[in-house]
Amino acid sequence: MENNVIKQVAVVGSGTMGSQIAMVCALAGYQTILQDIDPENLEKAKKFLREQMEKRVAKGRYTQEEVESAFKRLNFTEDIEDLSNTNLVIEAIVEKLDAKRHLFAKIDKIVGPKTILATNSSTIVSSKLEDVVSYPENVCNIHFFNPVLVMEMVEVVKGPHTSDETTEKSMAFVKSIGKTPVLLKKEISGFIANRILGKLMDEALYLYENGYATHEEIDLVCKKALNHPIGPFALMDLTGIDVNYFVRMQRYNESGDEQDKPSRIVAEKVEKGELGKKTGKGFYKYDEKGSRIGSAT
């Protein structure tokens, strides 16, 4: 393990992102806590991670022994007090500022003065959280990409309050779990990848909503002409259409610009509960195993 400072990691929020972040940390040798207030979510996370790791063992990417050792290092808990001895907490809950501020204030009362408090958010910069904690110099963004078990890139963002020590430890930690970190030396909502991707998403939604092409055709063009591994609509289904919605609403709440609001079709999907792969229906339909079985619109 390259980083000899961080010994125990906690991830708060056991959804698709949080569960995978925790698994990656455990696989890298860290004692890891995955905390969620909902026991049903934790059970879903256990099942999801077991299935994912079984696939990787079958493909020869890990041995069964490596996987079992990682699960022994991974503790699932509902009790947020279990975070008290951690050196790094990564928040991976819903993309809502109020929820994150409430959580950071709560964690602040539990952890020590040297614990790094990181948000996995790609939209909410950590300067919007630093005023609710006792040691703002410990706060930063550590943004993973979905699927975390596969994607190598991690964006680390240094806010105006973030100390050099926190930044250095965060960068070293990302390297120690086998990922490639990129440091943003100052804050900007969306960071690098999602600011670029957001422009593509906006244009794809515009073309679809205005009848220029179907979402399947737009995805096909992005894959075959631009050589993207996945089209924008399939990607929204993968990451969660509600994530796109909350990101755009956060941006709109900050700017007041109507153009920053979620697109009509995204808002309609969220209202119907058609959030993508995790609900079985988004722009495409999925079976119980998450395999695509057709188009939904």
Side-chain angles (χ1 to χ4, degrees):
M1 192 183 299
E2 292 178 22
N3 184 359
N4 59 6
V5 178
I6 296 170
K7 299 186 187 312
Q8 188 175 72
V9 180
V11 181
V12 180
S14 64
T16 302
M17 290 296 289
S19 59
Q20 290 185 78
I21 294 170
M23 192 75 241
V24 165
C25 294
L27 285 166
Y30 287 98
Q31 292 296 323
T32 307
I33 295 170
L34 180 59
Q35 190 272 335
D36 197 300
I37 59 174
D38 189 336
E40 186 176 337
N41 287 345
L42 288 171
E43 285 303 315
K44 287 180 180 178
K46 287 180 188 178
K47 182 181 178 183
F48 169 74
L49 291 175
R50 280 290 179 187
E51 291 172 350
Q52 291 299 311
M53 296 317 298
E54 284 173 8
K55 291 177 183 178
R56 283 159 175 76
V57 169
K59 292 179 180 179
R61 293 174 184 170
Y62 295 98
T63 66
Q64 192 65 46
E65 184 180 1
E66 287 172 330
V67 169
E68 292 307 321
S69 294
F71 273 108
K72 287 178 181 177
R73 289 188 289 269
L74 180 54
N75 179 37
F76 298 80
T77 182
E78 298 167 50
D79 191 355
I80 200 166
E81 295 290 338
D82 289 344
L83 275 58
S84 60
N85 293 320
T86 54
N87 310 113
L88 166 64
V89 179
I90 302 172
E91 167 272 312
I93 66 169
V94 65
E95 283 290 275
K96 292 183 178 180
L97 179 58
D98 288 347
K100 292 181 189 294
R101 285 175 60 83
H102 176 76
L103 177 62
F104 268 65
K106 193 171 185 178
I107 295 172
D108 179 62
K109 294 178 174 63
I110 298 168
V111 300
K114 293 292 185 180
T115 300
I116 295 173
L117 302 180
T119 173
N120 181 57
S121 176
S122 64
T123 305
I124 299 171
V125 292
S126 67
S127 60
K128 294 185 179 295
L129 305 168
E130 56 94 7
D131 63 308
V132 300
V133 302
S134 303
Y135 304 96
E137 64 272 19
N138 297 339
V139 180
C140 67
N141 288 76
I142 300 179
H143 174 233
F144 293 80
F145 292 88
N146 191 29
V148 181
L149 288 166
V150 176
M151 300 293 283
E152 295 181 11
M153 180 57 59
V154 176
E155 294 171 320
V156 176
V157 187
K158 185 180 189 296
H161 53 279
T162 310
S163 70
D164 290 340
E165 181 182 3
T166 294
T167 304
E168 290 165 8
K169 286 181 180 178
S170 298
M171 292 288 285
F173 165 74
V174 172
K175 291 177 183 177
S176 76
I177 59 173
K179 302 296 185 183
T180 302
V182 166
L183 175 64
L184 278 77
K185 300 172 183 64
K186 56 183 182 178
E187 294 182 332
I188 185 168
S189 179
F191 313 151
I192 298 172
N194 282 339
R195 287 185 70 84
I196 295 170
L197 181 61
K199 298 298 184 184
L200 185 144
M201 290 279 193
D202 289 349
E203 192 61 29
L205 285 162
Y206 174 84
L207 292 169
Y208 174 51
E209 288 185 340
N210 287 278
Y212 290 100
T214 66
H215 67 276
E216 300 102 320
E217 290 167 335
I218 295 168
D219 275 356
L220 184 63
V221 169
C222 288
K223 289 174 67 177
K224 298 298 184 181
L226 304 180
N227 204 27
H228 291 187
I230 187 172
F233 294 96
L235 181 59
M236 277 189 276
D237 274 6
L238 176 64
T239 58
I241 296 172
D242 54 330
V243 173
N244 179 286
Y245 177 84
F246 289 134
V247 165
R248 296 308 296 259
M249 283 304 298
Q250 176 64 33
R251 193 176 301 169
Y252 169 69
N253 290 335
E254 291 178 11
S255 70
D257 187 341
E258 290 289 321
Q259 292 187 352
D260 286 336
K261 277 187 172 181
S263 74
R264 173 184 54 79
I265 189 66
V266 165
E268 288 175 359
K269 290 282 185 186
V270 170
E271 187 176 345
K272 293 177 183 177
E274 298 175 0
L275 308 182
K277 199 170 183 179
K278 60 187 174 184
T279 60
K281 185 178 182 182
F283 290 101
Y284 299 93
K285 293 179 182 177
Y286 303 86
D287 63 20
E288 291 182 358
K289 294 182 178 180
S291 299
R292 188 191 300 178
I293 56 175
S295 177
T297 53

